Amino acid sequence: LSRAAQEEFTRVGINAYEKFQALPIDDKEILGPHQSFSGSVRQILRDFLISDSSTLLMLEEDCIFLDVAHLDQAITELPADWDILYLGANLVCWNNGEPQPEMYSEHLFRVRAAWTTHAVGFNKRVVPYLLENPPGLSVQMFDQYLSASLHKLNAYCVAPMMAYQRPRVSSIWQKGVVDDYTAIFEASEVKLK
């Protein structure tokens, strides 16, 4: 885990976590970084499915937290049949007519389209569906697949958002330039008002 991630997690009181080492790109099914990412997320979900835990909070190393004071309240507002909880998300997506978030409670919005997986919670009940209906490794990124599936699931985003992604050079896109999605998260936040 990077020093920046360790410091960020500690800052908000996350002291117990397990690092998942991404699947290697030289695997016969892993043809590049986005396949490594998608395959790694699926393996994390497989490991979670056989664990004793009923929920999983998956955080990427570039996750940065904003105000987390309302997290406990947001969790109490979740319905019993929730599937996915985003602590932050790209709700602007690609402007392809994705449905707008709908207010569910004081701190939750129902989402039927949301990109990014930098800070997302999974209820174990949804994992079999996600593992039985995966995209092909070369087809799309896991967050695209997940977003396209949200209309079938009980997915929510915490409002106001409590996690963005730190500007950084992406190990997936390998462009050698800093990707800064802050403006996307800020535009997404407007949809949660």
Side-chain angles (χ1 to χ4, degrees), residues 3-186:
R3 170 177 255 171
Q6 290 175 7
E7 290 173 356
E8 185 66 10
F9 294 172
T10 299
R11 182 181 70 80
V12 295
I14 300 172
N15 299 310
Y17 48 83
E18 182 177 334
K19 178 181 168 68
F20 182 86
Q21 187 65 43
L23 298 178
I25 293 174
D26 60 359
D27 183 282
K28 66 180 179 178
E29 291 184 14
I30 307 297
L31 306 174
H34 89 270
Q35 291 95 351
S36 173
F37 171 75
S38 296
S40 295
V41 172
R42 286 200 297 260
Q43 186 59 54
I44 290 167
L45 292 176
R46 281 189 210 97
D47 293 348
F48 167 49
L49 189 60
I50 61 172
S51 76
D52 293 332
S53 300
S54 60
T55 58
L56 167 72
L57 176 59
M58 187 175 74
L59 302 172
E60 295 177 10
E61 285 191 85
D62 61 355
C63 177
I64 55 173
F65 291 96
L66 308 170
D67 182 4
V68 297
H70 56 291
L71 178 58
D72 289 341
Q73 182 59 41
I75 289 171
T76 66
E77 294 170 14
L78 281 169
D81 65 347
W82 72 277
D83 293 316
I84 296 170
L85 177 65
Y86 290 89
L87 302 187
N90 172 355
L91 302 175
V92 178
C93 299
W94 296 111
N95 298 315
N96 293 323
E98 291 88 359
Q100 297 299 309
E102 299 169 0
M103 184 176 221
Y104 175 78
S105 64
E106 182 180 1
H107 295 101
L108 295 175
F109 274 71
R110 178 86 188 266
V111 291
R112 290 179 175 80
W115 290 44
T116 66
T117 53
H118 63 287
V120 61
F122 294 93
N123 189 331
K124 189 176 271 186
R125 66 188 294 280
V126 75
V127 174
Y129 172 83
L130 296 177
L131 293 175
E132 291 165 9
N133 298 286
L137 278 175
S138 64
V139 176
Q140 60 188 166
M141 293 278 290
F142 185 82
D143 65 330
Q144 290 175 290
Y145 156 69
L146 190 59
S147 183
S149 302
L150 292 183
H151 69 283
K152 301 174 190 172
L153 305 173
N154 292 325
Y156 301 86
C157 185
V158 175
M161 286 187 198
M162 53 183 64
Y164 285 9
Q165 284 180 288
R166 175 184 303 107
R168 83 288 184 229
V169 174
S170 173
S171 59
I172 294 175
W173 302 121
Q174 299 181 341
K175 297 182 291 187
V177 298
V178 172
D179 289 320
D180 186 348
Y181 301 122
T182 305
I184 290 172
F185 289 115
E186 289 171 347

